[in-house]
Amino acid sequence: MRIVNHPILTFPKQDMVTFTLNGQTIEGVAGEPIAAALHAADVKVLRHSHGRHRPRGLFCAIGNCSSCLMTVDKIPNVRVCIEPLRAGMVVETQEGKGKIV
Amino acid sequence: MITTEILVIGAGPAGLMAAIHAAEAGAKVLLVERADRLGGQLIKQTHKFFGSKAEFAGERGMDIAEKLISQSSDISGITIWKNAVVLGIYPDGVVTVSHEGEFCTVRPKKIIIATGASEKTMAFPNNDLPGIYGAGAVQTLMNVHGVIPAKRILMIGAGNIGVIVAYQLLQAGVEVAGIVEAAPQVGGYRVHAAKLQRHGVPIYTSHSIQSAHGDSCLEGVTICQLDEQWQPIAGSEQYIAVDGLCLAVGLSPLTELLWQANCEMKFAAELGGYVPMRDANMKTTHEDIYVAGDVSGVEEASAAMVEGKLAGLYVASVLGHKKDSFTDEFQIAKSQLSALRSGPASVKICTGLSKVVLEEVG
């Protein structure tokens, strides 16, 4: 969900673009982190861990912790908390370490 | 190879102040920032700062960030690189940087490391479930990107960050189920805690989290009461249904570059973990490396800004750029820092600093 009314901040309406998550089309704001767009669409599971396949989500949101690694445009281990969203991106929930080729 | 007099690593409150004051004194500065914008974590601080006027008291963190960013862009002595990650500091003094994806080498005369800190997590069953965030992550989502992290959130930790972020959650329209604090009293500013209480947010002191629950995402949390020895009291467990859990349990300095450069490090729990040994002019045990802000010990942004100013002024002076007003400005900044660290809440910080500050100089 996005914040509409806030006592201090204003969030002007911005250009929306579409991208896909596991083949499903989602809308987000161009340039915001992919993770923000996913959260706005209520998607919180970003990957499954390498050993026990546990669901993992966003933790630090500033590129420190590597909890949010996803496969973006076939590139694995992208920190989606700091990767800007562009139209047409192909985002996939990452399984384990991801596949390089 | 790019040369510069001073390389400042990190453009948060400490790095921006260091760059501004060094450049104002006449030094040539390269300011590198890993993110795509300057300001560090100041940009998400929607609350008004405390301290004195010299540390921008009464202004919101995000407005302070804007001021410092525009100041740094207006000074011709500062070159700014965004999307620039420092990769390594080599024994011959060369620093490698990935700038906009390009590999670059930089040879600075002096380096000021102002890399900040990262959020700590906590050990409890299911602490990796999606829906469990660091408090700073929640601030970033809400205050920078305008996205609500969850519908109902429980906050762990009633220090300054815990109470401030809990209030910011209310402002964003999120329900705050409560604040859990292991200590018998609230550690954060009273004014923020009082605001929460007026909004009916329960503060569970002498409580801790026992376990998180959920299938693919967080669905609830079990908390329990602690006895005087901080041990769980059997039978005191209570379940709270939430889809978000926010951990405000402290920060650790981001010291990788300091370790790599062989600076002498020391563990000081009061400062968040391992920090570099340094003197009162912010110089580490490495002749050419200085520090400022949370990387040298986790404190408030106000203290980080003053440390940045000290480091910037001092390093510029070492390189021969000594303003006429140097002695005055330097002394004023030092007394600002002492004033910031004089309250009862700063006893812990001072204990930590007494372990890592090598000597009082000048």
Side-chain angles (χ1 to χ4, degrees), chain A residues 1-3 5-9 11 32-33 36 39-40 42 44-45 54-64 84, chain B residues 34 41 46 60 62 118 126 128 130 132-134 137 141-143 145-150 171-172 216-217 243 254:
Chain A
M1 266 203 332
R2 292 185 190 273
I3 299 172
N5 293 310
H6 194 284
I8 297 165
L9 301 167
F11 298 101
E32 74 180 344
H39 261 74
D42 214 22
K44 291 186 178 176
V45 178
R54 291 176 63 87
R56 291 280 163 81
L58 185 67
F59 180 75
C60 82
I62 52 170
N64 283 334
Chain B
R34 68 174 180 183
Q41 307 317 310
T46 53
R60 298 184 197 282
M62 56 186 197
S118 70
N126 296 322
D128 59 345
I132 301 178
Y133 310 94
L141 270 182
M142 294 189 300
N143 299 347
H145 306 302
V147 171
I148 291 169
Q171 291 179 315
S216 65
C217 286
D243 61 342
L254 280 168

Side-chain angles (χ1 to χ4, degrees), chain B:
Chain B
M1 179 92 71
I2 292 136
T3 57
T4 184
E5 287 192 285
I6 305 173
L7 173 68
V8 178
I9 306 173
L16 281 169
M17 285 289 274
I20 290 167
H21 286 278
E24 271 183 358
K28 195 181 156 219
V29 178
L30 175 62
L31 174 62
V32 298
E33 165 57 48
R34 68 174 180 183
D36 59 2
R37 57 174 107 192
L38 307 182
Q41 307 317 310
L42 269 183
I43 59 165
K44 62 194 188 193
Q45 310 302 336
T46 53
H47 60 283
K48 292 177 180 169
F49 277 38
F50 291 119
S52 71
K53 193 138 183 74
E55 297 104 41
F56 307 98
E59 294 188 44
R60 298 184 197 282
M62 56 186 197
D63 298 331
I64 301 172
E66 212 164 290
K67 271 189 188 172
L68 297 182
I69 293 167
S70 86
Q71 243 182 302
S72 67
S73 322
D74 290 346
I75 302 174
S76 59
I78 305 178
T79 305
I80 296 168
W81 284 5
K82 296 176 201 170
N83 292 312
V85 182
V86 172
L87 308 168
I89 299 176
Y90 286 75
D92 61 357
V94 172
V95 178
T96 53
V97 185
S98 163
H99 178 215
E100 303 284 1
E102 296 282 316
F103 181 82
C104 311
T105 51
V106 179
R107 185 186 287 281
K109 287 186 177 146
K110 302 283 177 195
I111 303 171
I112 300 173
I113 297 183
T115 43
S118 70
E119 290 194 276
K120 287 182 179 167
T121 183
M122 232 183 129
F124 54 85
N126 296 322
N127 69 354
D128 59 345
L129 276 175
I132 301 178
Y133 310 94
V138 162
Q139 271 190 314
T140 301
L141 270 182
M142 294 189 300
N143 299 347
V144 181
H145 306 302
V147 171
I148 291 169
K151 292 179 189 73
R152 187 166 197 261
I153 283 194
L154 183 71
M155 176 70 67
I156 307 291
N160 279 335
I161 297 183
V163 292
I164 287 170
V165 176
Y167 189 67
Q168 292 176 0
L169 280 161
L170 293 176
Q171 291 179 315
V174 176
E175 188 187 346
V176 179
I179 304 188
V180 174
E181 168 58 53
Q185 70 285 322
V186 171
Y189 290 123
R190 286 259 170 82
V191 49
H192 296 295
K195 276 185 195 170
L196 291 163
Q197 279 168 320
R198 284 201 295 277
H199 278 81
V201 174
I203 300 184
Y204 301 94
T205 49
S206 294
H207 275 73
S208 188
I209 181 169
Q210 200 167 62
S211 181
H213 313 278
D215 188 11
S216 65
C217 286
L218 182 73
E219 288 162 24
V221 168
T222 301
I223 64 167
C224 64
Q225 204 179 340
L226 302 178
D227 65 19
E228 281 160 15
Q229 276 75 49
W230 300 56
Q231 295 305 308
I233 298 173
S236 69
E237 297 83 2
Q238 70 176 285
Y239 179 83
I240 300 177
V242 283
D243 61 342
L245 180 71
C246 196
L247 304 179
V249 293
L251 299 142
S252 319
L254 280 168
T255 52
E256 291 88 342
L257 291 170
L258 292 157
W259 284 103
Q260 200 186 51
N262 259 330
C263 296
E264 194 178 329
M265 306 293 287
K266 191 164 181 182
F267 188 82
E270 301 87 351
L271 302 176
Y274 276 97
V275 290
M277 299 288 287
R278 57 176 176 82
D279 68 16
N281 301 323
M282 309 307 296
K283 185 175 151 187
T284 66
T285 53
H286 187 300
E287 190 54 33
D288 299 324
I289 298 180
Y290 292 71
V291 284
D294 276 1
V295 73
S296 63
V298 173
E299 279 185 86
E300 301 271 313
S302 319
M305 287 188 273
V306 183
E307 282 188 346
K309 180 175 180 176
L310 277 175
L313 282 172
Y314 189 78
V315 176
S317 81
V318 167
L319 292 172
H321 304 287
K322 202 165 186 171
K323 286 162 110 176
D324 294 339
S325 55
F326 172 79
T327 316
D328 285 349
E329 280 193 51
F330 201 69
Q331 284 312 326
I332 290 168
K334 281 200 169 168
S335 31
Q336 266 177 269
L337 258 191
S338 311
L340 284 171
R341 290 171 178 157
S342 61
S346 300
V347 172
K348 205 175 101 180
I349 298 287
C350 293
T351 309
L353 288 172
S354 69
K355 297 179 183 173
V356 299
V357 177
L358 292 162
E359 54 187 319
E360 190 62 41
V361 184

Side-chain angles (χ1 to χ4, degrees), chain A residues 2-20:
Chain A
R2 292 185 190 273
I3 299 172
V4 184
N5 293 310
H6 194 284
I8 297 165
L9 301 167
T10 48
F11 298 101
K13 234 182 149 34
Q14 293 178 81
D15 292 342
M16 302 298 277
V17 294
T18 59
F19 65 105
T20 64

